[in-house]
Amino acid sequence: MNALELTDVRKVYPVGDSEVVALDHASLTLGQNEILALVGPSGSGKTTLLSIAGGILSPSSGKVVVGGEDISDYSNGQLTRFRQEKVGFVFQSVNLVPFLTAAENLFVVDELGPRTGKPARATAGKLLDELGLAERTKNLPSQLSGGERQRVAIGRALMNDPDLVLFDEPTSALDTGLGAQVMELIRSEMKQRGISAIVVTHDPRITEYCDRTVQIVDGELSA
Amino acid sequence: MFLALREIGRAKARFGLLVSAIALLVFLILFQQSLQNGLLTSFTGAVKNQSAPVLVYSVDGQRVLQASVITPDLEQRVRSTEGVGEVGAIRQGTFTGAPLTESENFDTSVIGYDAGADGEGLGAPASLSEGRLPTRAFEGVASAADARNGYGVGDVVRIVPGDAEISIVGIAQEAQLNVGPTIFVSNETYLELVAAVNPDAGVPPPNVLGVAPAVGVTDAQVVEAINGQSLELDALTRSDAAAKTPGVAQVQQSFAIIFLLYALVVPCVTGLFFLIVTFQKAGALTLLRAIGASARSLVWSLLLQAVIILGAGLALGILLYLPVSQTRLGGLELQFEEGAVIGWSIALLALGLVSSLFAARRVLKIDPMEATTGRGVGQ
Ligand SMILES: Nc1ncnc2c1ncn2[C@@H]1O[C@H](COP(=O)(O)OP(=O)(O)OP(=O)(O)O)[C@@H](O)[C@H]1O
Ligand SMILES: [Mg+2]
């Protein structure tokens, strides 16, 4: 079973009286345990594609199947549940709840669905450990460096044991060295867990950490 | 639950300020409620807390004890009205009272009633906190609020001029009239006082009649029957008589306006606070929605916070009110008003919750898509 199948997906944003076609005829298949780099210029539709794959946005037309689950026609409530259970997100910039500590930013994921409590706390601790944040668990986001914040966000994305993790420019706020470190971390975490991922970037160096690269220009994909 | 509590925990100063503001408002509301009730009780307590269930005034007395006069003819009509059981004459006058233990004089309302051998006739004070009812001449029961001003049990109050002396033998609760010391005596004693002050006055007619309905007749029925007897008669149940005393309605109206303002300020403050907080943390809420928090759970979290903050504000406000409600303010004796505490708690909690629905509406409008665009907090 493929981690993600987009078939002829189109997304149109209404803007005033006209429309913006952000994604057109987008078809993409992501295999099990595959890390895909999605590269394209600003405004090309990368975030839009990611949002559709992650159930944050519904496509205007086309089919979206994630881990065998067709979410194309899901209601808002169904999408919320889907996001809660099946996918992990690392967003372009807004990633942490400012009034929660690093550990709580992970643990909060458990609070969104049926609570498990103790096991979730243990998972959060283990993840932060793996991400090299054992000493930072009680820090608020404002007391973390940019790289640390991004690592906490990666931990958060893994908390619900997702089938698919979506990274939207995970290194854009970091310098080159730190970006490489974070990408290495992403790769090892994904491979170790056998999770598929899409990493959006416009930095070609990032693609080295991915299995495959897909280009997007003006809402259209090309390998 | 987790989110709601953590947020409060991390922003103690901000939520603490709101709790303090609510507590202060709750305190002011309850304090003024006590003030209003204290004021009205000392104004008309003697009417409300006496034993005659129905009082009959003359219409031209305009529901003021002292201004009402019951002529023998009117008295006869009342006595012959169907459904009337017992009837007693009640007189009231204002005298200058000089407690022997004090150097000061006080305007003192004296209420005369048909006390009878046991002192329990119609118009007797309803509840004594100390002592007994008057059973002999020149004995009286004084209002509790004035006990410490020389109107306590065992004290003697001289009425000047005339120098008649009343021995206080009992203390009646909430039995003041016109915010001053009040003494209940038998009609015989009352007439002696009048004669002592003004030997030429003769025997004044009763000011009002106290009526008890016959067995099987309700107070309301007797009131209706008596009022049907003559256009000059104005019968009222005792609580109506107290509530319709001139001035009472005006006092209540003034306070009602104050209460209304407070009742608006509390939800405004609460509603605005949560709306601002919701705007400020819009980024975090959007992120939570994007990672799978349902809108409903975020709204619950908000309402839970509202309940916690309002509850804490109410508790603190009541705590502040507790000691103040036990004090005296000028001549007024304040009381802890349980009914007001419960009523206001429910009302303010409900109003506060309703006002935080504006913030809830804002939460419901959050589009998780915005988490992807890079706007918001964290950076
Ligand atoms: N909510 C929206 N309403 C209208 N137009 C939008 C909306 N979101 C995105 N667009 C438009 O859709 C197109 C694709 O946007 P998208 O955010 O997917 O680009 P992107 O490739 O992620 O760009 P960047 O690299 O700058 O993040 C852009 O032209 C953008 O202006
Ligand atoms: Mg983007």
Side-chain angles (χ1 to χ4, degrees), chain B residues 288-305:
Chain B
L288 288 165
R289 285 286 284 120
I291 64 170
S294 65
R296 188 166 8 135
S297 72
L298 295 181
V299 168
W300 276 125
S301 177
L302 169 82
L303 294 182
L304 180 68
Q305 280 184 345

Side-chain angles (χ1 to χ4, degrees), chain A residues 83-84 93-95 99 104, chain B residues 6 10 289-290 292 374-375:
Chain A
R83 296 198 297 271
Q84 194 186 93
S93 63
V94 191
N95 264 310
F99 54 81
E104 287 164 357
Chain B
R6 279 306 135 97
R10 296 275 142 70
R289 285 286 284 120
R375 271 179 278 160

Side-chain angles (χ1 to χ4, degrees), chain A residues 13-15 20 22 40-49 92 168-169 202, chain B residues 369:
Chain A
Y13 293 110
V15 176
V20 175
S42 184
S44 57
K46 306 184 294 293
T47 298
T48 303
L49 186 141
Q92 233 165 326
D168 198 352
E169 312 213 21
H202 37 218
Chain B
M369 179 60 195

Side-chain angles (χ1 to χ4, degrees), chain B residues 145-189:
Chain B
D146 306 289
R148 72 181 82 176
N149 294 333
Y151 290 77
V153 170
D155 286 334
V156 174
V157 178
R158 177 178 294 151
I159 300 297
V160 285
D163 292 347
E165 288 180 353
I166 303 172
S167 305
I168 306 300
V169 296
I171 296 297
Q173 283 179 307
E174 303 190 347
Q176 273 192 332
L177 194 69
N178 299 329
V179 204
T182 302
I183 305 178
F184 292 77
V185 298
S186 67
N187 267 320
E188 293 75 28
T189 303

